[in-house]
Amino acid sequence: VMSAQHTTQRFARFVPQLRKITLIYCRGHVASQGMRDVVDQELLSVGSNQRHTVFQVKAIARSDPLIRAEYLNGKEKVVNARCMGKNDILKEMKKLSAETGYKPKKFSVNPVFSSKPSIQGDWHAFLDTKGTIKFST
């Protein structure tokens, strides 16, 4: 018999894949206005909601604003935040926190895997009947 504590611990195991977000911006450039607004107004509330993520802020002169996300698997994704508003940057940060760092894979539409695909289509029971089926009565 499992207690309630064991069942909640078993199903509550979630490891977020986002390890670190680095916000790079310029203090005086016009294109970094949205990033400056995020850093000044929203970063503390976002950081308190995402305690599993490390937030790093870099003010680099004459640079475009960037959002750099580092994941647990070693992958890195960089988003250019040039001329983005505060809400757009927050939306990108939320999207990056939901990803795993891997590029999405396209699934095959064809369910049959073969080294020599058939020109006429998939096999079926009436393939060799040549259009005439005789039923005995």
Side-chain angles (χ1 to χ4, degrees), residues 123-134:
W123 182 89
H124 53 82
F126 302 111
L127 189 62
D128 295 328
T129 59
K130 296 185 179 152
T132 58
I133 301 174
K134 296 181 181 178

Side-chain angles (χ1 to χ4, degrees), residues 36-50:
R36 286 193 301 269
D37 291 342
V38 169
V39 170
D40 293 340
Q41 301 168 7
E42 301 290 332
L43 192 60
L44 289 177
S45 63
V46 171
S48 64
N49 291 337
Q50 296 181 5

Side-chain angles (χ1 to χ4, degrees), residues 8-80:
T8 56
Q9 287 177 354
R10 181 172 41 152
F11 294 114
R13 179 96 174 148
F14 172 69
V15 178
Q17 297 298 304
L18 182 63
R19 183 172 57 101
K20 180 179 175 182
I21 289 184
T22 305
L23 302 175
I24 301 170
Y25 69 102
C26 177
R27 287 190 181 126
H29 201 274
V30 177
S32 295
Q33 181 62 44
M35 188 69 78
R36 286 193 301 269
D37 291 342
V38 169
V39 170
D40 293 340
Q41 301 168 7
E42 301 290 332
L43 192 60
L44 289 177
S45 63
V46 171
S48 64
N49 291 337
Q50 296 181 5
R51 296 181 181 214
H52 57 272
T53 305
V54 176
F55 287 92
Q56 182 180 15
V57 178
K58 290 183 179 180
I60 300 174
R62 294 181 298 279
S63 68
D64 282 342
L66 299 174
I67 306 169
R68 179 178 291 134
E70 298 175 20
Y71 296 93
L72 290 177
N73 57 11
K75 303 288 184 184
E76 184 177 289
K77 186 170 182 182
V78 178
V79 176
N80 189 353

Side-chain angles (χ1 to χ4, degrees), residues 56-126:
Q56 182 180 15
V57 178
K58 290 183 179 180
I60 300 174
R62 294 181 298 279
S63 68
D64 282 342
L66 299 174
I67 306 169
R68 179 178 291 134
E70 298 175 20
Y71 296 93
L72 290 177
N73 57 11
K75 303 288 184 184
E76 184 177 289
K77 186 170 182 182
V78 178
V79 176
N80 189 353
R82 182 176 173 84
C83 296
M84 281 188 178
K86 178 175 68 169
N87 293 332
D88 295 332
I89 292 173
L90 291 172
K91 190 185 303 181
E92 283 293 328
M93 288 171 56
K94 187 174 183 179
K95 187 172 86 170
L96 289 171
S97 67
E99 293 178 358
T100 61
Y102 290 111
K103 291 184 179 179
K105 293 181 181 179
K106 186 175 181 180
F107 291 104
S108 176
V109 178
N110 188 3
V112 178
F113 299 103
S114 173
S115 61
K116 296 180 182 176
S118 173
I119 296 172
Q120 65 190 32
D122 296 335
W123 182 89
H124 53 82
F126 302 111

